[in-house]
Amino acid sequence: MKINIFADTICGWCFIGHTNLNNAIRKFPDTKFKISHTPFQLNPGMPAEGISRAEYLQTKFGGKDYATPMYENMKLKAKEAGIIFNLDKIKTTPNTVLSHLLIILSEKFNLQNQIKEKIYRSYFIDGLDIGNINILINIAKQNNISEKIFKDFINEENIKKVNSKITLAREKGISGVPFFEIGKEFISGAQSILQLESVIKSNLSKI
């Protein structure tokens, strides 16, 4: 079964959706899944070096106090999925193009799930700057993707491909992520394991 996920690597709801999907898939041990990652950018105009977390919260929400209720809800949902977010550790809100490139590259090695998981955990749990190439090189090397292979993959052509995927999402009318294409059905938001399971079952019955 084909599953395509539109997501951004600084999207906490995407991390929750990623986790719940992995748990839902485990309920179908006899089904072969082909899972693809399609990049989405919540902040397409973000400078390449990113901006400070404080500046981001001020620009996006009017300050940390205004962002807190949304983030508290997200942390609660993350906890239900078995993840403890450490948002106070985050010092930089990054540009996510390089992290998307690493995930796309990792698909060639069938490592996209592990790489995506590590990128999410690096940002939301460890508070690392996942726009920093050295952080991403370390993630790549930990998963047996060499620094050279990753650096060679970061080129103008591949960056254009990432941007074209983002344009594709907009053309499909996708304004928020995560967004799942499961078989022939679409499902938006950080859905529960049971909801994702139900959609998978529904599509399996049509095969």
Side-chain angles (χ1 to χ4, degrees), residues 21-138:
L21 179 64
N22 281 339
N23 287 325
I25 283 171
R26 291 190 186 101
K27 308 281 187 177
F28 304 90
D30 298 324
T31 302
K32 187 173 182 180
F33 292 94
K34 179 175 171 52
I35 300 174
S36 302
H37 168 78
T38 301
F40 187 93
Q41 279 192 289
L42 294 170
N43 308 297
M46 181 66 66
E49 67 278 9
I51 60 174
S52 74
R53 179 74 170 171
E55 183 184 347
Y56 174 74
L57 294 178
Q58 184 64 43
T59 303
K60 190 97 172 178
F61 301 102
K64 184 177 180 180
D65 290 344
Y66 292 103
T68 296
M70 186 275 287
Y71 283 124
E72 286 301 315
N73 182 42
M74 187 170 72
K75 284 163 69 175
L76 181 63
K77 293 297 181 184
K79 192 173 181 180
E80 289 173 5
I83 317 161
I84 304 299
F85 279 2
N86 294 317
L87 302 183
D88 289 341
K89 284 189 174 183
I90 299 172
K91 303 303 178 189
T92 301
T93 298
N95 181 301
T96 56
V97 167
L98 294 182
S99 61
H100 286 304
L101 282 171
L102 179 55
I103 295 168
I104 293 166
L105 170 63
S106 70
E107 291 186 11
K108 299 176 186 292
F109 302 92
N110 198 29
L111 289 167
Q112 65 270 29
N113 196 59
Q114 296 94 309
I115 292 281
K116 201 170 182 180
E117 175 86 16
K118 184 61 178 174
I119 289 171
Y120 281 137
R121 295 184 73 84
S122 295
Y123 186 66
F124 288 101
I125 296 174
D126 301 329
L128 299 177
D129 178 4
I130 58 167
N132 183 309
I133 190 168
N134 293 317
I135 298 292
L136 295 170
I137 286 169
N138 284 337

Side-chain angles (χ1 to χ4, degrees), residues 10 55-56 63 68 90 100 104 140 142 145 163 171 174 180 182 187 192:
I10 59 157
E55 183 184 347
Y56 174 74
T68 296
I90 299 172
H100 286 304
I104 293 166
Q142 287 165 13
I145 298 174
N163 290 329
E171 288 172 352
I174 299 170
F180 302 88
I182 301 176
I187 185 167
S192 70

